[in-house]
Amino acid sequence: MTYFGTNLKKIRQIKGLSQQAFAELIDLNRGVVSSYEEGRAEPKIETLLRIANYFSISTDDIISKPLTVNQLANFSLIEDSMVVPIELKPTNLNEIKSDGTKQTADFQKITTLFDVIHVVDADLAAKCRFKENTVLFLKEIEMQTDSFSEYAVVIHGKIVLSNTLLPNAINYAIVGVLGNETPNNQNTILERLALLEKKVFGN
């Protein structure tokens, strides 16, 4: 026995989705969603992965333990604090390859590098090195991961930055940044560019 059906129903209700709306979202039919929720059927592995990935819940959690309303409510707060990426047409941006040639950027490949993005608001900017409106690209990680120097941690529905992983929280590694950091960090980047320019051009 798994908790998939019960958890699926909780997720759907917390998100305010009808069975039909949920089915369309995950590319299923309403009868299949109903059979999952009532325990009359178990999902195929690809369906399980699609649902877990869409709602950023581990496959282990969704099938092996009952998710609490509090967990899912916190998940909703987290999700609401994330910004949905703007859909870009592939022709809008090119990728430059190592040999200097250009090709159409593969956005699907790029977005697999992170799970969510977060735009730094004024409250977070006042407590960290990133300026307001900086975009943080985040990858959810487990507690045993320690290969990153800085993390965005969601605790009690709020995002904080930390140089350590925190238990009983959702931990994200900051895998990319788009926007402004503090002037000190910007100066460091400019200094590095100046050194690089000196090495290349000998000035």
Side-chain angles (χ1 to χ4, degrees), residues 34 36 38 63 70 76 94 109 124 144 174 197:
S34 176
Y36 289 159
E38 294 171 11
I63 63 174
N70 187 48
S76 295
N94 287 325
K109 177 182 173 185
L124 181 57
Q144 62 266 24
I174 299 175
E197 186 178 59

Side-chain angles (χ1 to χ4, degrees), residues 11-22 25 54-55:
I11 292 168
R12 182 176 62 75
Q13 290 173 337
I14 289 289
K15 296 298 295 175
L17 297 169
S18 66
Q19 286 185 341
Q20 182 62 41
F22 185 92
L25 197 65
Y54 189 91
F55 292 102

Side-chain angles (χ1 to χ4, degrees), residues 95-113:
E95 176 185 358
I96 188 164
K97 297 170 70 177
S98 56
D99 61 2
T101 59
K102 292 180 183 178
Q103 66 180 22
T104 302
D106 183 349
F107 289 105
Q108 188 171 3
K109 177 182 173 185
I110 294 167
T111 55
T112 59
L113 301 174

Side-chain angles (χ1 to χ4, degrees), residues 13-110:
Q13 290 173 337
I14 289 289
K15 296 298 295 175
L17 297 169
S18 66
Q19 286 185 341
Q20 182 62 41
F22 185 92
E24 291 172 2
L25 197 65
I26 306 299
D27 196 23
L28 300 169
N29 66 58
R30 192 205 63 77
V32 170
V33 173
S34 176
S35 66
Y36 289 159
E37 290 186 1
E38 294 171 11
R40 293 182 283 112
E42 292 290 333
K44 295 179 180 177
I45 187 66
E46 58 266 27
T47 303
L48 176 63
L49 289 170
R50 192 160 66 241
I51 292 169
N53 287 336
Y54 189 91
F55 292 102
S56 299
I57 300 173
S58 76
T59 53
D60 185 51
D61 283 353
I62 205 171
I63 63 174
S64 66
K65 62 183 180 183
L67 296 173
T68 65
V69 173
N70 187 48
Q71 280 177 297
L72 294 172
N74 284 340
F75 162 72
S76 295
L77 287 171
I78 296 160
E79 187 183 53
D80 291 343
S81 72
M82 301 302 174
V83 178
V84 178
I86 298 170
E87 185 178 347
L88 299 174
K89 296 179 181 178
T91 53
N92 283 354
L93 189 65
N94 287 325
E95 176 185 358
I96 188 164
K97 297 170 70 177
S98 56
D99 61 2
T101 59
K102 292 180 183 178
Q103 66 180 22
T104 302
D106 183 349
F107 289 105
Q108 188 171 3
K109 177 182 173 185
I110 294 167

